């Protein structure tokens, strides 16, 4: 079989038709309902105890930390109260050995240390002069917590939340594996390490990155109806949306404000359809799952998110390289190579190692429209040690990579569509002219060319959405939303914590603003790493 025919056959295996998409939307909605009714289901549907979204008028200086799949970020965020904010942050890569540390304490001690370094660098005055518990006549116990940063902790893993700053880890995802942490309260783990360093920081809120993204988007682009969904398409994937309390049938143990009639739900959609009733399942999906640290779970994530797409592609390529009937990245002699050389793969090429193909090269492949695919061929050499790849090889690589990327985007549309349909906003005549706002973040949606266009293409083919519905759905990037969102939830939590009435609370915000107790880091100080 020619390489072209073989790659077309592979591409066909990644096809996810309009019919597939429609059945998956129905199944997604069924699993959503199931998850709202009981625990232990495929889609976890975790209640977050966040009962409203911001409207852009929130104010104050807060801290946020974000433990994602790859990096740890520490930020301080000045919310200006006019839908704008100023963000200062530092980012460090999480050392691989800490992702699989023996004890949770090792990881959380590292996180607390980064908070200390951030405070020293960016809030030195505040850090040195803080008086943790100042004596005062104005409170009954004679002390008042002052100069303590309220911190929102974005923890991008599945957590059983039992209150706004309390939640136990259900399972690790995205290459993390520290069994000792499972079942423990991650806020307490972080607060313990912060306290060991005597830092003026209180972990006030626990937030999934999708919840943070939803909050941040709602703060920055408030409309008449608010943002309905915050989603991440990055190393991992997940979404959080606003659900009616009346649909949430499983028992809630923690305290929450019932007046809004709504609660943000963290779907943990990475584990949608672990049973594979509607998800596609090629031989390469099977192989990837088998060799992963968590076989049988996060099955949707393993077909959609950045951590896995490169690995699926790598497994396809390895199979093609092994196939004696196909000439892929090999030439009989220089006459069969358009650059008149012969292709060589370095013996230590990372193509031979698990996770050795970075998904980023798929973006290069999708974006390269040069006649000879010379950008892609340059990257194959640089990143994978594949020298003098022929045009036909690069074309096959690009076609297969695109098919995997396109399947991911169409699967992403399934989750988005199911949630839009669940909110009922498309058929709500009272707000028929309002856009249905969705905030997204993550490397895939930000950097993969035409990812959003491919999502829209699938949305148009979904029953109940169609051309008209797709036009109303506004998918916008909320970059670094999780940090800003965590700060917003820390603000809400600070209000709840003190059990202030709305009037008291607003009064306090005003007097804080007047006395200007917290210093703001000038914008040019912001680390842009
Ligand atoms: C985690 C989610 C997270 C998502 C995006 C998934 O692996 O389970 O909690 O929101 O990645 O970071």
């Amino acid at each position: 079989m020619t390489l072209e025919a073989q790659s077309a056959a592979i591409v066909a295996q990644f096809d996810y038709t309009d019919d597939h998409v429609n059945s998956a939307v129905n199944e997604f909605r069924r699993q959503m309902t199931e998850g709202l009714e009981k625990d232990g289901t495929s889609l976890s549907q975790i209640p977050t105890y966040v009962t409203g979204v911001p409207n852009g008028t929130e104010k104050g200086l807060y801290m946020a930390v974000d433990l994602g799949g790859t990096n740890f970020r520490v930020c301080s965020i000045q919310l200006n109260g006019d839908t704008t904010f100023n963000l200062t942050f530092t980012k460090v890569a999480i050392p691989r050995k800490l992702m699989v540390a023996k004890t949770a304490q090792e990881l959380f001690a590292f996180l607390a240390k980064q908070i200390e370094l951030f405070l020293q660098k960016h809030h030195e005055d505040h850090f040195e002069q803080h008086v943790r518990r100042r004596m005062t006549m104005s409170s009954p116990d004679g002390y008042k917590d002052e100069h303590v940063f309220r911190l929102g902790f974005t923890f991008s893993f599945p957590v059983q939340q039992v209150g706004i700053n309390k939640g136990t880890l259900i399972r690790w995802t995205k290459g993390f594996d520290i069994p000792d942490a499972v079942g423990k309260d991650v806020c307490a783990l972080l607060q313990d390490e912060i306290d060991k360093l005597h830092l003026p920081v209180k972990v006030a809120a626990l937030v999934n990155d999708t919840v943070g993204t939803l909050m941040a988007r709602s703060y920055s682009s408030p409309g008449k109806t608010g943002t309905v969904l915050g989603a991440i398409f990055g190393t991992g994937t997940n979404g959080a949306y606003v659900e009616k309390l009346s649909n949430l049938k499983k028992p809630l143990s923690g305290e929450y404000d019932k007046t809004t009639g709504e609660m943000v739900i963290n779907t943990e959609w990475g584990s949608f359809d672990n049973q594979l009733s509607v998800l596609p399942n090629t031989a390469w999906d099977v192989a990837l799952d088998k060799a992963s640290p968590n076989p049988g779970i996060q099955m949707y994530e393993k077909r959609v998110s950045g951590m896995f797409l490169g690995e699926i592609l790598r497994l396809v390529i390895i199979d093609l390289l092994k196939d004696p009937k196909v000439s892929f990245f090999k030439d009989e002699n220089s006459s069969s190579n358009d650059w008149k050389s012969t292709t060589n793969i370095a013996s230590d090429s990372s193509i031979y190692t698990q996770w050795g193909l970075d998904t980023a090269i798929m973006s290069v492949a999708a974006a390269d429209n040069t006649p000879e695919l010379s950008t892609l061929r340059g990257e194959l050499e640089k990143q994978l040690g594949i020298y003098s790849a022929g045009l036909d090889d690069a074309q096959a690589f690009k076609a297969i990579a695109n098919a995997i990327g396109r399947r991911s985007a169409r699967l992403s549309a399934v989750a988005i569509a199911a949630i839009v349909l669940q909110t009922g906003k498309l058929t709500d005549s009272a707000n028929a002219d309002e856009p249905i706002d969705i905030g997204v973040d993550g490397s895939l949606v930000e950097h993969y060319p035409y990812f959003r266009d491919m999502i829209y293409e699938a949305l148009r083919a979904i029953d109940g959405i169609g051309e008209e519905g797709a036009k109303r759905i506004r998918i916008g990037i909320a970059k670094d939303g999780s940090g800003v969102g965590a700060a917003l939830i820390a603000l809400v939590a600070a209000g709840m914590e003190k059990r202030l009435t709305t009037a008291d609370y607003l009064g306090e915000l005003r007097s804080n603003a007047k006395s200007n107790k917290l210093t703001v880091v000038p914008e040019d100080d912001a680390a842009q790493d």
Side-chain angles (χ1 to χ4, degrees):
M1 203 192 267
T2 63
L3 177 58
E4 202 183 340
Q6 179 69 337
S7 83
I10 293 171
V11 164
Q13 294 193 55
F14 287 100
D15 214 14
Y16 201 61
T17 64
D18 290 350
D19 283 349
H20 288 138
V21 169
N22 273 293
S23 335
V25 172
N26 292 337
E27 179 60 14
F28 199 106
R29 292 197 67 188
R30 194 195 66 73
Q31 293 190 20
M32 280 178 82
T33 308
E34 188 180 52
L36 291 172
E37 286 167 358
K38 52 181 190 241
D39 283 329
T41 55
S42 197
L43 261 182
S44 302
Q45 298 283 67
I46 302 169
T48 62
Y49 296 86
V50 176
T51 54
V53 295
N55 63 11
T57 60
E58 294 74 9
K59 273 189 184 170
L61 179 67
Y62 290 87
M63 274 192 84
V65 293
D66 186 342
L67 182 71
T70 321
N71 296 307
F72 181 63
R73 297 185 355 136
V74 186
C75 350
S76 57
I77 295 119
Q78 178 69 41
L79 300 166
N80 299 324
D82 57 0
T83 79
T84 69
F85 58 84
N86 294 77
L87 175 76
T88 305
F89 74 90
T90 55
K91 180 165 92 173
V92 285
I94 304 154
R96 181 75 209 133
K97 66 175 194 323
L98 288 182
M99 295 183 179
V100 291
K102 280 219 170 54
T103 62
Q105 196 254 331
E106 286 167 64
L107 173 68
F108 284 85
F110 170 82
L111 306 186
K113 187 71 200 165
Q114 303 311 312
I115 297 173
E116 179 176 55
L117 293 173
F118 177 86
L119 288 174
Q120 281 166 347
K121 182 163 173 205
H122 293 293
H123 295 273
E124 200 186 352
D125 289 356
H126 184 78
F127 181 69
E128 282 174 3
Q129 291 164 19
H130 87 268
V131 183
R132 189 157 182 168
R133 283 168 65 77
R134 278 236 316 226
M135 286 186 73
T136 174
M137 301 297 283
S138 66
S139 89
D141 60 1
Y143 288 96
K144 187 172 179 188
D145 274 350
E146 266 193 30
H147 295 277
V148 173
F149 271 110
R150 292 296 190 277
L151 175 140
F153 181 17
T154 306
F155 185 74
S156 309
F157 299 91
V159 159
Q160 193 60 53
Q161 204 144 351
V162 285
I164 204 141
N165 71 345
K166 208 171 164 55
T168 54
L169 176 63
I170 301 174
R171 60 176 180 274
W172 289 107
T173 57
K174 297 179 287 200
F176 277 69
D177 190 16
I178 312 170
D180 167 58
V182 176
K184 291 198 177 139
D185 175 8
V186 292
C187 281
L189 287 171
L190 182 60
Q191 188 72 60
D192 284 353
E193 297 307 316
I194 287 174
D195 291 347
K196 281 185 199 160
L197 298 176
H198 306 288
L199 304 178
V201 173
K202 175 178 165 121
V203 183
L206 177 63
V207 187
N208 185 268
D209 52 355
T210 56
V211 182
T213 301
L214 172 62
M215 295 289 127
R217 174 83 186 172
S218 225
Y219 175 83
S220 309
S221 53
K224 207 164 115 203
T225 54
T227 302
V228 296
L229 166 67
I232 303 283
F233 299 99
T235 308
T237 184
N238 187 17
Y241 74 105
V242 185
E243 180 58 279
K244 291 178 200 69
L245 273 176
S246 54
N247 288 340
L248 183 56
K249 302 278 179 350
K250 56 187 175 190
L252 288 175
S253 49
E255 279 179 34
Y256 61 98
D257 170 11
K258 297 187 181 60
T259 57
T260 63
E262 295 178 332
M263 185 176 282
V264 174
I265 301 290
N266 168 13
T267 63
E268 282 299 333
W269 72 36
S271 262
F272 163 58
D273 199 29
N274 281 343
Q275 53 277 44
L276 299 181
S277 49
V278 290
L279 286 178
N281 201 26
T282 67
W284 305 289
D285 294 307
V286 174
L288 177 143
D289 179 51
K290 217 168 136 202
S292 72
N294 51 358
I297 54 172
Q298 300 292 104
M299 297 305 246
Y300 175 79
E301 180 167 80
K302 285 172 181 162
R303 285 147 181 80
V304 169
S305 78
M307 174 163 174
F308 304 98
L309 299 188
E311 181 63 5
I312 301 176
L313 176 58
R314 192 188 74 81
L315 292 168
V316 177
I317 286 171
I318 293 293
D319 271 1
L320 271 179
L321 290 175
K322 281 196 224 140
D323 187 342
K325 297 188 294 304
V326 181
S327 166
F328 185 48
F329 291 134
K330 44 185 173 276
D331 302 293
E332 209 156 295
N333 59 50
S334 58
S335 73
S336 52
N337 182 305
D338 64 313
W339 280 353
K340 301 297 170 236
S341 181
T342 51
T343 310
N344 275 290
I345 306 184
S347 57
D348 62 350
S349 166
S350 61
I351 196 89
Y352 299 118
T353 1
Q354 190 188 23
W355 313 119
L357 191 152
D358 188 336
T359 302
I361 201 171
M362 295 174 63
S363 297
V364 175
D368 188 358
N369 289 318
T370 59
E372 296 188 349
L373 297 182
S374 37
T375 315
L376 173 59
R377 287 157 86 174
E379 283 307 302
L380 287 170
E381 180 169 325
K382 202 159 96 198
Q383 293 189 29
L384 297 170
I386 302 178
Y387 300 99
S388 300
L391 178 59
D392 52 345
D393 299 323
Q395 280 166 337
F397 184 96
K398 177 174 164 134
I400 298 166
N402 285 1
I404 297 170
R406 186 173 154 77
R407 188 185 72 165
S408 154
R410 292 176 71 77
L411 284 168
S412 304
V414 167
I416 293 174
I419 286 174
V420 167
L421 293 170
Q422 171 82 2
T423 64
K425 299 260 188 231
L426 279 173
T427 46
D428 169 11
S429 52
N431 293 304
D433 298 330
E434 281 290 296
I436 296 166
D437 194 56
I438 294 176
V440 290
D441 196 8
S443 46
L444 206 54
V445 70
E446 205 187 330
H447 302 302
Y448 192 93
Y450 313 114
F451 198 76
R452 264 184 290 172
D453 302 73
M454 292 188 287
I455 291 179
Y456 273 110
E457 187 198 359
L459 287 176
R460 286 193 285 272
I462 292 171
D463 300 339
I465 294 189
E467 287 281 343
E468 287 311 304
K471 271 192 212 142
R472 280 188 60 201
I473 299 175
R474 183 175 68 190
I475 305 176
I477 302 271
K479 187 150 171 66
D480 303 324
S482 52
V484 178
L488 283 158
I489 300 176
L491 176 148
V492 173
M496 277 170 60
E497 192 189 296
K498 294 178 183 169
R499 295 186 188 287
L500 294 174
T501 63
T502 311
D504 289 340
Y505 183 48
L506 288 176
E508 166 145 308
L509 276 182
R510 274 186 215 110
S511 69
N512 275 355
K514 256 193 220 139
S515 61
N516 200 15
K517 275 185 281 203
L518 300 170
T519 44
V520 180
V521 179
E523 216 187 335
D524 13 317
D525 253 18
Q528 290 301 326
D529 49 355

